[in-house]
Amino acid sequence: MRTSRFCQYVYLVAFAALAGPLPAQELPTRTIEQTYTFDDRGDAVVETSSQFSAAEWVEWKERFGDHPDLLLRDLRYQYASAVVDDYSLEKDDVHRHATAKIKARALARYRSNGDFAIDVTKDLKLVTGSGSDWFFTSSAAMNGVLINQTLKAKLPAKATRVAFTPGGDFNLLTYSIDVTPLRSKGSLIVGICLLLLGVGAAIASFFVMQRHTTTVTIIPPPPSAPPPIPNLPKQ
């Protein structure tokens, strides 16, 4: 069975778990806001915040708020296809507000050639989206609470060819990242400096060799003395 990798319901369960269902007309309403911020590797920082009524706050703290280890356990189970770390949970007893944050590595599925895909559950309705910012909403009754969820997916700034495509079991939010390795500006500057140093060293070496060249002058031997004139006979 395929597991959704986007908008897991663990947050909804953790932030909306209350005792016993209520009649539909008496369902309390709560809005949960989620933000998924993706980086170039497909990892995402997921932040979820919720506001509680007084009764809901007491119930939530007993079941999850005072036991963050249980919430982390459920998160790892629900995000089994990703690696969950950097977990934190902040609670504000005065304003009855809670914020959970995790980092889910490889949440966006890498396909090939810089193409990524994010599975979007069917219950999420696209509100608007273009470029790197995409907004979805959903509404569902869960454990006696009507949950109105607002979700924002923030894709990397380098994302291109972004598209939302309805599919079979899941809709798809796809995008591409240029994965061609580029030389950094610093490496380029260092390379140019090394090249210039090499050229300068070669020129300096040439002049040094010229200055230390020994000139050899060949001096021809002195001419040999002429042969003696023989004595002529006397007349």
Side-chain angles (χ1 to χ4, degrees):
M1 181 178 180
R2 189 179 182 186
T3 302
S4 170
R5 305 182 66 177
F6 189 51
C7 184
Q8 299 289 347
Y9 277 104
V10 63
Y11 282 124
L12 300 186
V13 174
F15 281 83
L18 299 173
L22 300 175
Q25 66 272 17
E26 299 179 12
L27 287 180
T29 301
R30 185 182 317 142
T31 298
I32 294 180
E33 298 181 353
Q34 284 187 305
T35 301
Y36 288 70
T37 304
F38 290 87
D39 62 20
D40 294 349
R41 296 180 298 273
D43 302 341
V45 174
V46 186
E47 183 173 340
T48 301
S49 62
S50 183
Q51 185 73 46
F52 295 84
S53 66
E56 291 171 344
W57 181 249
V58 173
E59 180 69 18
W60 178 81
K61 283 191 64 178
E62 289 179 355
R63 300 189 64 177
F64 293 98
D66 293 336
H67 306 282
D69 56 316
L70 298 181
L71 179 56
L72 177 59
R73 180 197 63 186
D74 291 345
L75 282 170
R76 287 173 171 165
Y77 174 77
Q78 293 292 332
Y79 285 94
S81 57
V83 178
V84 175
D85 56 17
D86 296 341
Y87 164 68
S88 65
L89 176 63
E90 297 180 358
K91 298 172 293 181
D92 184 346
D93 289 303
V94 175
H95 299 95
R96 298 187 297 274
H97 182 269
T99 300
K101 183 184 293 186
I102 63 170
K103 186 165 187 177
R105 302 187 183 277
L107 190 64
R109 187 172 68 258
Y110 182 72
R111 298 195 287 190
S112 64
N113 299 322
D115 294 335
F116 290 83
I118 302 170
D119 297 329
V120 182
T121 54
K122 288 287 189 177
D123 62 292
L124 284 173
K125 308 301 180 185
L126 176 63
V127 177
T128 182
S130 63
S132 60
D133 295 326
W134 293 75
F135 294 87
F136 301 85
T137 60
S138 69
S139 182
M142 181 175 294
N143 295 321
V145 179
L146 180 61
I147 303 297
N148 293 323
Q149 183 185 16
T150 301
L151 185 148
K152 177 181 179 181
K154 187 172 182 58
L155 303 181
K158 298 179 181 179
T160 59
R161 300 199 300 273
V162 184
F164 179 74
T165 307
D169 295 333
F170 298 91
N171 298 326
L172 288 179
L173 181 60
T174 58
Y175 63 93
S176 297
I177 294 287
D178 185 5
V179 295
T180 303
L182 297 176
R183 293 184 178 180
S184 66
K185 186 176 181 180
S187 298
L188 180 60
I189 293 175
V190 170
I192 294 174
C193 290
L194 291 175
L195 177 61
L196 293 176
L197 286 175
V199 173
I203 295 174
S205 176
F206 174 78
F207 283 106
V208 169
M209 291 179 63
Q210 287 293 322
R211 186 165 51 188
H212 289 82
T213 299
T214 302
T215 302
V216 178
T217 303
I218 300 176
I219 303 175
S224 58
I229 301 174
N231 294 327
L232 299 177
K234 295 181 177 180
Q235 298 292 330

